[in-house]
Amino acid sequence: MKKSFICYIALLLAFIGTGLPSFSQSSDNNYYLIAHRGGVVDSNRAENSLPALKAAIERGYKMVEVDLRLTKDSVLIIHHDMNFKRYFGLDKPVSDITWKEISKLKSNTGGSKVLQFEEALQYCSGKIDVMIDNKISGNDTLLFSKVVALLKKYKLDKAALMIGTSESTDFFTGKIKLSCTRKQLEENMLKPGYSPSHYYLFGNELSRDDVEWARRNNILPVGVVNAWRYRRFANPAAEAEKDAQRLKATGLNHFQIDSEFERFFLP
């Protein structure tokens, strides 16, 4: 009896330690959630860090969004900002620093390091799909061919999504599913070689009509609930919840979200 009681307490403490139940633990949750900014980001986990990626996988996210940038010596890394000031205290542009210098940086949030793009893909392979926010200017087709090759190497290319640039759209079309507004999609439909498999509808203002239109046209619709949108409000969480409920009411089941809002998508 005493042994059973001890086991019960241990299980209870383990459950409490996990916080909210992860999405994968519930068969009632039909949402396909994409972790914005490289995973579960909080006071202990920096954006685009290994701990953030790891937590997204453990929490049951289906996909993680990573921000793609290029170092001075042409190494692909994942990092959101144009410089390293916010997390690493270094106010220098990413494009002005070599990978050797960058690899020595440690974040002020948990001491994590900057990841190379390939390191992130290798870690995600077989565990979680990826969305890429391409922050590299220009249309270096040789470089972008490497991006596609790395996705294929780690078997992440089939499900991959990209938030692209106008400069690189022609290259990536047909290789990675690209984000579009409804207006852009309607324009693309008139172009030779159009395929709904090349694009997805993406936005925070999607209506039920937009979602139903996308599905009639075999286009994936993805809603957005991201923290940047709510910074100007006195109660950001309340505004985010309004958007989450409004978007869910459209019939959407794919969402890119900041992890601080995941509670709005639990069953």
Side-chain angles (χ1 to χ4, degrees):
M1 186 73 177
K2 185 177 180 182
K3 184 177 180 181
S4 297
F5 178 75
I6 292 171
C7 290
Y8 170 77
I9 294 298
L11 286 170
L12 181 62
L13 289 173
F15 175 77
I16 292 171
T18 63
L20 292 170
S22 70
F23 310 115
S24 58
Q25 289 174 334
S26 173
S27 59
D28 297 327
N29 183 41
N30 295 318
Y31 297 123
Y32 183 105
L33 296 179
I34 305 165
H36 185 224
R37 297 188 295 156
V40 175
V41 178
D42 56 27
S43 59
N44 296 312
R45 304 179 185 96
E47 297 172 5
N48 291 290
S49 67
L50 188 59
L53 282 175
K54 184 174 184 287
I57 293 165
E58 291 173 346
R59 299 278 304 138
Y61 283 84
K62 301 297 186 183
M63 179 176 279
V64 62
E65 181 231 33
V66 297
D67 299 286
L68 186 64
R69 289 194 181 274
L70 192 67
T71 68
K72 182 179 182 179
D73 50 344
S74 299
V75 175
L76 292 164
I77 65 169
I78 61 169
H79 185 73
H80 182 275
D81 297 354
M82 293 181 67
N83 58 45
F84 292 102
K85 184 176 181 180
R86 188 157 55 98
Y87 276 107
F88 300 94
L90 181 61
D91 192 8
K92 291 179 67 175
V94 174
S95 58
D96 287 353
I97 312 176
T98 65
W99 168 247
K100 185 176 180 180
E101 296 173 276
I102 293 168
S103 66
K104 295 176 183 177
L105 298 176
K106 290 187 178 180
S107 77
N108 52 27
T109 305
S112 57
K113 295 186 175 184
V114 177
L115 292 176
Q116 288 192 23
F117 180 57
E118 182 168 7
E119 289 180 281
L121 296 187
Q122 185 175 23
Y123 187 79
C124 291
S125 183
K127 304 184 191 81
I128 193 169
D129 292 328
V130 295
M131 170 188 275
I132 300 166
D133 187 349
N134 179 21
K135 296 185 179 297
I136 300 173
S137 60
N139 187 29
D140 186 332
T141 57
L142 187 62
L143 177 71
F144 291 148
S145 292
K146 182 178 179 181
V147 171
V148 174
L150 286 170
L151 286 168
K152 290 180 178 178
K153 177 179 178 179
Y154 294 103
K155 296 180 172 56
L156 292 164
D157 55 308
K158 300 299 183 185
L161 303 179
M162 176 175 277
I163 303 168
T165 64
S166 57
E167 298 164 305
S168 64
T169 293
D170 287 345
F171 174 82
F172 282 116
T173 299
K175 299 180 180 72
I176 302 176
K177 202 182 289 285
L178 295 170
S179 65
C180 286
T181 63
R182 179 167 174 173
K183 183 175 183 296
Q184 289 171 327
L185 284 164
E186 289 170 336
E187 292 171 352
N188 288 337
M189 286 176 174
L190 303 176
K191 297 177 181 178
Y194 166 80
S195 171
S197 65
H198 294 168
Y199 309 101
Y200 65 100
L201 177 63
F202 188 61
N204 50 40
E205 297 286 353
L206 300 184
S207 66
R208 178 177 288 275
D209 180 64
D210 291 329
V211 173
E212 291 175 351
W213 172 86
R215 289 186 174 142
R216 283 197 306 272
N217 287 283
N218 298 310
I219 298 165
L220 172 69
V222 180
V224 181
V225 185
N226 288 350
W228 66 266
R229 177 176 168 85
Y230 311 107
R231 288 179 297 180
R232 69 183 187 277
F233 294 103
N235 190 341
E239 297 300 323
E241 184 172 16
K242 287 179 189 176
D243 274 357
Q245 300 306 331
R246 174 180 54 79
L247 288 167
K248 288 194 292 184
T250 68
L252 278 168
N253 52 28
H254 282 64
F255 294 89
Q256 185 214 62
I257 67 167
D258 278 299
S259 57
E260 64 193 271
F261 304 136
E262 67 183 35
R263 64 189 183 277
F264 305 141
F265 296 89
L266 288 168

